[in-house]
Amino acid sequence: MKNLMILCAMLTLSSSIAAQNNQFPTTTDFTELTDTKPHDNEAVWNKLPATLQFSWGNTNVRYPKLSIPDVTKSIRWQTDAWKGERINAQAVLWTKTNIEDVTVNVSDLKNGSTVIPSSAITTNFVRYVMTDELNKDRKGACGGRANKAEWDSSIVADMLDIIKVRDIKARTTQPVWVNIWVPQDAKAGKYKGTLTVSGKDIAPVNLQIEVNVLNRTLPAPKDWAFHLDLWQNPYAVARFYNVPLWSKEHFDAMRPVMKMLADAGQKIITTSIMHKPWAGQTEDHFDSMVFRMKNLDGSWTFDYTIFDKWVEYMMNEIGIDQQINCYTMIPWALKFDYFDQATNRIQFVEAKPGEADYEDYWGSFLKDFSRHLRQKGWFDKTTIAMDERGLEAMQEAIKVIRNADPEFKISLAGNYHKEIEPELYDYCLGYGNNFPADIKATREKAGKISTVYTCCAEPFPNTFTFSAPAEATWIGWHAMAGNYDGYLRWAYNSWTADPLRDSRFRTWAAGDCYIVYPERSSIRMEHLIEGIQDYEKIRILREELATKNNKSKLDKLNKLVSQFTPEGLAETQKDPTAMVEEARKVLNSF
Amino acid sequence: MKNLMILCAMLTLSSSIAAQNNQFPTTTDFTELTDTKPHDNEAVWNKLPATLQFSWGNTNVRYPKLSIPDVTKSIRWQTDAWKGERINAQAVLWTKTNIEDVTVNVSDLKNGSTVIPSSAITTNFVRYVMTDELNKDRKGACGGRANKAEWDSSIVADMLDIIKVRDIKARTTQPVWVNIWVPQDAKAGKYKGTLTVSGKDIAPVNLQIEVNVLNRTLPAPKDWAFHLDLWQNPYAVARFYNVPLWSKEHFDAMRPVMKMLADAGQKIITTSIMHKPWAGQTEDHFDSMVFRMKNLDGSWTFDYTIFDKWVEYMMNEIGIDQQINCYTMIPWALKFDYFDQATNRIQFVEAKPGEADYEDYWGSFLKDFSRHLRQKGWFDKTTIAMDERGLEAMQEAIKVIRNADPEFKISLAGNYHKEIEPELYDYCLGYGNNFPADIKATREKAGKISTVYTCCAEPFPNTFTFSAPAEATWIGWHAMAGNYDGYLRWAYNSWTADPLRDSRFRTWAAGDCYIVYPERSSIRMEHLIEGIQDYEKIRILREELATKNNKSKLDKLNKLVSQFTPEGLAETQKDPTAMVEEARKVLNSF
């Protein structure tokens, strides 16, 4: 049966695996897409000894699948960590012969009688997905990609699989990701343990782990100051797992994905208050979580069953409860849907901000929505959210919002407009744009959120599946260097048709639509979390150094941070990966 | 402005006039489509005297528009009538010169000091519409007609226009329809009056009217036994007048159309309880008058606002209140729509009668519908209605209905199935099929309705725009001869895109989709009413003759009636129009 499923998966490469199996969690293996790039030939591989090769590698490297990895063999991984920090390592396994039933195990890490239990450690086989490349001008990755042949494609290591037993084929490399979540109550000191790879008919091979827990503590993700806003797409999860929207099965399927997000310190619940807020640009469009009926007499009826269910799930079951962003009053296509009682059909109002039909559609809704949110006790957490819209449209939309309830919070991810800045509670600027220092200070004092976003426009830093992994970490440092409160990305899990194997999409560069896989994290996501942790560490160190009035160390820290800007990058001419590697080491030395 | 509108109408022949004008009632004239058939040439016309020609004609003739009418000039129309009867006459006006501002007036009809007032008399200019023909095999008119060029088209007299002043072009014929609704309280006797045609720069011309009111009374249409069931299409009215569905404007626009139907003795309100009960076969598809929401927990919510509003309008404002037929549980495409709370979209269940999804969809609805209908006091008037579906599907649907409420009435227009006959309250058979005599008697005793229908399948009798007008009258006689309680036609007003000018459609023969025009009756409709009146007269005479035990007259009457069957027609070898003309005269002699 298992073989049959693999066969099926091979035969229908383009359809999603889980949808075929219609089971959850997805515990069967699957066949990766073919790596068509040049790689080490059989003769090269055959020079290896017959035994399985296993060594520590580097988390910043995506090791090619069909070549012998470029590593200096090392059996000991040594690192510093804060209490409460998640640290990553990458081991690499390669073999010239087939090895069946390979498993990876990790021991408790011991420091005398104190222990970091193995339950705090996750190991994953790193899996290979299809990616593409930047646009030909290397200046970005926006625009359509209908014809995949026009972009160079290749297989890259990115996904951290949850499967626990794999057969490793002869002449392949199999990286292994190791993540240790140091308990917050761990005692400082050196902890040692072992990573073991085993397989059928082979002697187990060990690597050593040595974690030096420092006497500093990172708060739990929930308490991080970093304002993380990766937009969730519940519709993609329902489609991938072929489960009814908002059913128990759907919420069950979302749990691992959304838990990963909560563990990254996400603050915001993404909600859609209209049909196709982004004109259905993702594989699975967002639909309205609010039901609107235009009654025969012209009045409106609203129902919030879905909205409430989703928000309550995220708050109570997932623990993301700080903010609710509601998209959008100014979609890319200015068509607003409603169920029309007369025609018994869904109809659309076409209206621009500033027009009477727009005011009727949105004003009626916002008045009722305000009432509902206040009743639920969510009004102060909720923003009416727009993205990448022009000043004039924003001004008209703001009028309608203020008319409905002057106390509504409003958010925008887009250009900086000084005219409406005071109106925006949550304001996110595109990479390369900064808030004027005085404005940022005023916003901070008023408890307003000011963040930065990247999207397809940025060749660097980004989190495409072909981006250097350290770029994701670089983003966290950049948020601190640019004096932002956090980071926004438009797509956390807007999965492609076959997300486990093919990260390419009909638009933008591969991986733009999602940073995590169904139930599975990624090299990109773990690096992003590293950057956020570093942001928190810097924040804590700055407070501490300021309290201690340790100006020299504070200057040193600030200088270290200040490189992580477009200007700093240009000045230092450093390779961003090296920059991240160095800076992270220095950070642990404070 | 008026000229501009006419110009517009001429320029955009294919779009509807009222939709352009967006006004109601439609009082502007419009240009008929061009008559391309051979006709009398100028030389022939020029032999006429210069004066306007005016004569009584024959209601059974569609006079050609561009030829001199084939009439024996006659200035006196003499007829018998029952009290309460509507009688028709056709006058014809033809001219070799242009005459502007032509109007037709009628005097009171006088019998000594008693009067049939002119307000009981309607005159209409007969207008010309585009028609086509039967299928090439002359055996019917079913099937697609995408390419109009494949069917011979011509202009025929059919519509009875409501415009009161017209310019008559040189060398054209303009028929004038006269309808007298003899008051039920009129005294028997000979009534005389005058029909006058006037115009700019011409001397008025008179024709004489002489109505001999017999000492018999036809009941008001409401009290007719004839079970008339012409299916109404409210959606077509909203589209033609470009008014919002179920708005005040919509109901206003429907009033004249539906009043005409009530005056024909219509018994049934046509309602649709699902989306596209007939797969959208008409220019304007029927939509569901019931709103269904499938809630997140799998339960259903139903709303009857539209259904109630339509039914109440028909009952209270139009006076059609005997029966409500609800289409359909077995549509041609077995797809059933509902609003899905989860996806916030309309979804479809695809399920066949007998399947669990079908039972869930319909069973849940029918239970709630029964509750609602009982609450409104309509349960006993309502049938769950199907048409032209097979026995097995009917049996499964009946199971679901009985499961929901065993007392539900059910109707079918279709083949005769003895297996389900006892289940059917309202059973309508296709032309040429009869109920077994004992079954019909049992049905009658049980108060069940047993009727007959025609559709595109019948080359004769029918009410296409090219059908001989008397065929519509023949139908009434046939209903009596075939021992039916009445007649059903699938389309009363499923108007084409440009119904005032072009009765052709993408399927079936021209005129199949509608028998009346926006606000306007037709030669076909008036003939149908004549047939229904004759049915009532026969019924009344039979009762009277039976009471009087006048067997010879009863036999004579029955013999007269019995010709109006497919067999009778074949035996007598008579022209149906002549058959109707003769029989109607004899009927007035009883």
Side-chain angles (χ1 to χ4, degrees), chain A residues 355-399:
Chain A
E355 294 178 355
D357 281 354
Y358 182 91
E359 163 87 34
D360 172 48
Y361 183 91
W362 282 112
S364 313
F365 166 68
L366 289 169
K367 277 192 197 83
D368 193 76
F369 195 37
S370 154
R371 177 201 57 72
H372 178 73
L373 291 168
R374 287 177 188 275
Q375 193 178 355
K376 298 294 278 189
W378 297 340
F379 185 82
D380 289 335
K381 297 183 178 215
T382 303
T383 81
I384 305 302
M386 271 74 67
D387 63 299
E388 296 187 348
R389 299 295 89 185
L391 174 62
E392 205 182 321
M394 280 300 298
Q395 286 172 322
E396 293 295 344
I398 289 168
K399 266 189 223 163

Side-chain angles (χ1 to χ4, degrees), chain A residues 235 244-247 275 285 287-293 296 303 305-306 309 337 339 341-346 348, chain B residues 235 244-247 275 285 287-293 296 303 305-306 309 337 339 341-346 348:
Chain A
Y235 300 92
L245 262 173
W246 315 118
S247 63
H275 178 59
H285 71 256
D287 223 305
S288 180
M289 297 175 183
V290 175
F291 171 68
R292 298 170 165 77
M293 188 190 273
L296 216 46
D303 179 87
T305 304
I306 305 299
K309 197 156 175 153
D337 82 316
F339 188 86
Q341 189 176 39
T343 56
N344 212 35
R345 276 310 157 275
I346 290 165
F348 288 85
Chain B
Y235 301 92
L245 262 174
W246 315 117
S247 62
H275 177 60
H285 70 256
D287 224 305
S288 181
M289 297 176 183
V290 175
F291 171 69
R292 296 170 168 78
M293 188 190 272
L296 215 46
D303 178 88
T305 304
I306 306 298
K309 195 155 177 154
D337 82 316
F339 189 86
Q341 189 175 39
T343 57
N344 212 35
R345 268 340 222 192
I346 290 165
F348 289 85

Side-chain angles (χ1 to χ4, degrees), chain B residues 288-587:
Chain B
S288 181
M289 297 176 183
V290 175
F291 171 69
R292 296 170 168 78
M293 188 190 272
K294 187 163 203 172
N295 302 312
L296 215 46
D297 63 4
S299 67
W300 294 89
T301 299
F302 303 98
D303 178 88
Y304 302 98
T305 304
I306 306 298
F307 178 87
D308 291 353
K309 195 155 177 154
W310 166 238
V311 168
E312 280 163 4
Y313 167 83
M314 288 296 272
M315 286 185 167
N316 305 333
E317 293 195 47
I318 304 299
I320 297 173
D321 59 6
Q322 195 166 306
Q323 194 171 318
I324 306 162
N325 278 11
C326 306
Y327 294 92
T328 173
M329 275 179 68
I330 320 178
W332 300 3
L334 290 166
K335 285 178 60 181
F336 304 102
D337 82 316
Y338 60 93
F339 189 86
D340 182 45
Q341 189 175 39
T343 57
N344 212 35
R345 268 340 222 192
I346 290 165
Q347 305 289 358
F348 289 85
V349 177
E350 294 200 37
K352 280 197 269 295
E355 293 179 355
D357 282 354
Y358 182 91
E359 163 87 35
D360 172 48
Y361 183 91
W362 282 111
S364 313
F365 165 69
L366 289 169
K367 277 192 197 85
D368 193 75
F369 195 38
S370 155
R371 176 201 57 72
H372 177 74
L373 291 168
R374 288 176 188 276
Q375 194 179 357
K376 298 294 278 187
W378 298 338
F379 185 82
D380 289 336
K381 297 184 178 214
T382 304
T383 82
I384 305 303
M386 270 73 67
D387 64 298
E388 297 188 347
R389 300 295 87 185
L391 174 62
E392 206 182 320
M394 281 299 298
Q395 286 172 321
E396 293 295 344
I398 290 168
K399 265 188 224 165
V400 175
I401 298 170
R402 294 280 169 256
N403 237 348
D405 189 328
E407 294 179 11
F408 254 125
K409 286 179 172 158
I410 304 173
S411 77
L412 172 66
N415 290 336
Y416 183 71
H417 302 292
K418 64 177 188 311
E419 297 85 345
I420 54 170
E421 177 280 321
E423 298 281 5
L424 300 173
Y425 166 75
D426 175 0
Y427 201 170
C428 183
L429 303 183
Y431 178 76
N433 298 284
N434 291 85
F435 293 90
D438 57 331
I439 295 288
K440 176 62 166 64
T442 308
R443 293 182 61 78
E444 224 170 287
K445 210 175 264 173
K448 288 180 178 171
I449 312 295
S450 316
T451 60
V452 64
Y453 73 91
T454 60
C455 62
C456 64
E458 280 72 48
F460 170 90
N462 223 315
T463 53
F464 303 127
T465 34
F466 57 78
S467 298
E471 291 184 26
T473 310
W474 201 97
I475 287 170
W477 286 78
H478 172 65
M480 186 53 91
N483 195 21
Y484 302 107
D485 300 330
Y487 171 69
L488 174 156
R489 206 165 196 301
W490 73 279
Y492 172 60
N493 70 314
S494 278
W495 294 326
T496 57
D498 187 10
L500 294 178
R501 289 185 296 197
D502 193 349
S503 66
R504 297 172 303 175
F505 191 52
R506 62 173 182 258
T507 33
W508 320 302
D512 201 12
C513 298
Y514 59 112
I515 192 165
V516 295
Y517 296 80
E519 297 161 73
R520 297 154 179 90
S521 186
S522 69
I523 290 182
R524 298 174 288 156
M525 185 67 185
E526 295 307 317
H527 275 90
L528 183 66
I529 293 169
E530 283 184 352
I532 296 169
Q533 292 186 130
D534 293 347
Y535 180 103
E536 291 297 308
K537 285 178 166 183
I538 298 161
R539 180 181 63 78
I540 290 163
L541 287 170
R542 275 183 175 169
E543 279 169 18
E544 188 187 306
L545 296 171
T547 308
K548 289 182 178 160
N549 222 356
N550 191 333
K551 197 175 172 312
S552 76
K553 274 201 168 178
L554 194 56
D555 286 350
K556 187 184 162 196
L557 179 61
N558 288 340
K559 197 168 165 235
L560 184 70
V561 170
S562 68
Q563 301 171 57
F564 290 81
T565 59
E567 302 75 26
L569 195 68
E571 273 169 32
T572 56
Q573 292 283 316
K574 274 189 206 156
D575 166 55
T577 299
M579 220 172 129
V580 166
E581 279 182 349
E582 281 174 40
R584 299 194 79 221
K585 258 182 215 140
V586 177
L587 190 61

